[in-house]
Amino acid sequence: MTLHLPIPGVPEVKSEANGPTAPMAGVRRDGVRFGAYYRQAAQFVAAHQEADQEADQGVGNSTATHRVLDGMLAHLARPLLCVIPGQAEAERVARILVIGDSHANIFQGAGSHYHSNSHSGASERRCGYSNFKTCIATGASSHGLANPNSASRAGATFSSCMRALKRNGTEVDYVALMLGEVDVRFVSAMRKKSSGVSMLEQLRESRARLFRYLEEQVAGVHGFKMSQVIVMGASLLCPTEGTRRADLYVGGEKFDTSHATLRYNELLSEWCLERGCRFANPMDDLLDLSTGRVHSYFWSDPLEMHCSVRPYFFWTRAIKEAAAGELSWCS
């Protein structure tokens, strides 16, 4: 989904220094979950419904709420992430390499959208358009990382990106790895069907291969500390055209991919805690607890499994939270 700023029908978003507009008043970037933002947007729409009736004729409350939310997210996503400076250091933008499957594209496409010159302050232009350098291997899976003959060639692609950064003298603060959706949706389900091994055991095997790559390649070969590694939770799927669900059918048997993804992310979180890396997971924001699926606000138009750019702020904030006090919003 392409978002356009300013958004018709939404008041201009101003910075806190200039006095926030009504729907942004009191909005905090940290410690507030998506549900609270949604309720605030809905309350703003309800309070202005009569005054805006003529302007919003034919626009339902849900659509109007989504438009206000778009303005709020543009406001929330505006600042970049900066490394918290030491006593003798100046604030500087954090440099984060994101390696992953096609879901990692959100850090490229949405990052350029929210940090474009058209609505960035001088300090953000100084920092650049985004924190993120992305390295994508479409269709990559944790199972295939160590296989040089895998269709995605993910291991070789990611290693090439890390070597290129070092060759160019580019310092990287964190390496964020975003894999697992393909493992949950396809690899584990197919292996369960063919071998009879439980889905949970397949997910554990996927986790073991992912961490083997992190420890042997990212840390061992490319020299990053495990404390510099941020493992991103596997992405939940949005519905595609022709279905309002994100289930997978293999040989006529249905697999609930949302439930399996959440279980896989629990497994990743456990090993990050044990092995000294960080874990970033915004599913508390993206998940609609009433349906067990991604909230409809984040769906793309037309429907497509990668969702829209709207989750960008929540993924970025999850990285900040995973850094545990080492990152702040740029001033």
Side-chain angles (χ1 to χ4, degrees):
M1 174 179 239
T2 301
L3 303 180
H4 300 282
L5 297 175
I7 300 166
V10 177
E12 179 187 358
V13 178
K14 300 177 183 177
S15 68
E16 292 92 340
N18 295 327
T21 54
M24 268 53 76
V27 172
R28 293 182 291 119
R29 289 186 176 87
D30 297 308
V32 179
R33 293 301 157 194
F34 169 72
Y37 294 134
Y38 194 97
R39 287 190 295 273
Q40 182 168 346
Q43 289 166 2
F44 177 82
V45 169
H48 293 76
Q49 190 172 33
E50 185 175 343
D52 295 341
Q53 187 172 7
E54 183 177 346
D56 284 339
Q57 188 173 4
V59 176
N61 279 3
S62 177
T63 301
T65 298
H66 287 189
R67 282 170 27 185
V68 173
L69 269 171
D70 286 342
M72 292 175 70
L73 287 183
H75 167 73
L76 293 168
R78 182 171 296 179
L80 299 174
L81 293 174
C82 276
V83 175
I84 294 179
Q87 292 182 349
E89 298 175 346
E91 181 184 75
R92 66 169 177 83
V93 67
R95 295 176 290 263
I96 302 169
L97 172 65
V98 181
I99 58 178
D101 58 24
S102 54
H103 292 275
N105 273 314
I106 192 169
F107 291 101
Q108 181 171 303
S112 62
H113 166 79
Y114 284 114
H115 303 299
S116 68
N117 269 332
S118 61
H119 50 90
S120 290
S123 64
E124 287 141 24
R125 288 196 295 271
R126 168 180 56 79
C127 287
Y129 297 151
S130 174
N131 290 107
F132 306 106
K133 168 71 175 177
T134 55
C135 182
I136 310 297
T138 301
S141 70
S142 300
H143 271 90
L145 277 175
N147 180 5
N149 299 316
S150 69
S152 68
R153 300 194 72 251
T157 299
F158 299 156
S159 291
S160 177
C161 289
M162 287 184 279
R163 283 196 302 269
L165 288 175
K166 290 207 168 185
R167 189 166 55 246
N168 296 334
T170 303
E171 295 290 335
V172 174
D173 297 298
Y174 298 96
V175 175
L177 187 140
M178 194 176 193
L179 287 177
E181 182 272 314
V182 175
D183 293 86
V184 173
R185 178 171 57 92
F186 181 72
V187 177
S188 295
M190 292 298 292
R191 284 171 173 255
K192 177 184 184 299
K193 199 69 181 177
S194 62
S195 66
V197 178
S198 73
M199 190 73 163
L200 180 58
E201 286 305 310
Q202 295 291 350
L203 295 178
R204 285 174 173 158
E205 174 62 20
S206 173
R207 176 184 64 176
R209 295 190 183 207
L210 185 149
F211 275 84
R212 189 178 307 132
Y213 177 80
L214 291 177
E215 292 169 346
E216 294 179 359
Q217 294 295 317
V218 178
V221 174
H222 300 287
F224 291 99
K225 300 175 183 177
M226 286 298 284
S227 60
Q228 290 180 279
V229 173
I230 300 176
V231 176
M232 313 291 285
S235 297
L236 288 170
L237 292 176
C238 279
T240 58
E241 290 292 350
T243 177
R244 309 299 278 189
R245 298 181 64 82
D247 297 318
L248 172 70
Y249 289 85
V250 179
E253 183 179 353
K254 184 176 76 173
F255 294 95
D256 182 339
T257 59
S258 291
H259 181 269
T261 300
L262 295 176
R263 184 68 185 97
Y264 183 61
N265 288 343
E266 289 176 358
L267 295 174
L268 294 179
S269 177
E270 290 171 3
W271 271 24
C272 280
L273 188 62
E274 293 176 7
R275 302 186 179 211
C277 57
R278 322 298 182 101
F279 181 66
N281 184 25
M283 294 308 145
D284 285 348
D285 292 301
L286 306 186
L287 188 67
D288 184 344
L289 295 179
S290 67
T291 64
R293 300 292 187 269
V294 176
H295 194 285
S296 60
Y297 171 70
F298 299 109
W299 298 359
S300 60
D301 182 16
L303 292 176
E304 201 271 336
M305 71 175 187
H306 293 91
C307 308
S308 68
V309 300
R310 287 166 164 167
Y312 172 77
F313 164 72
F314 298 103
W315 279 108
T316 303
R317 188 174 69 177
I319 288 176
K320 176 180 178 291
E321 293 171 348
E326 295 177 2
L327 296 176
S328 64
W329 302 110
C330 295
S331 60

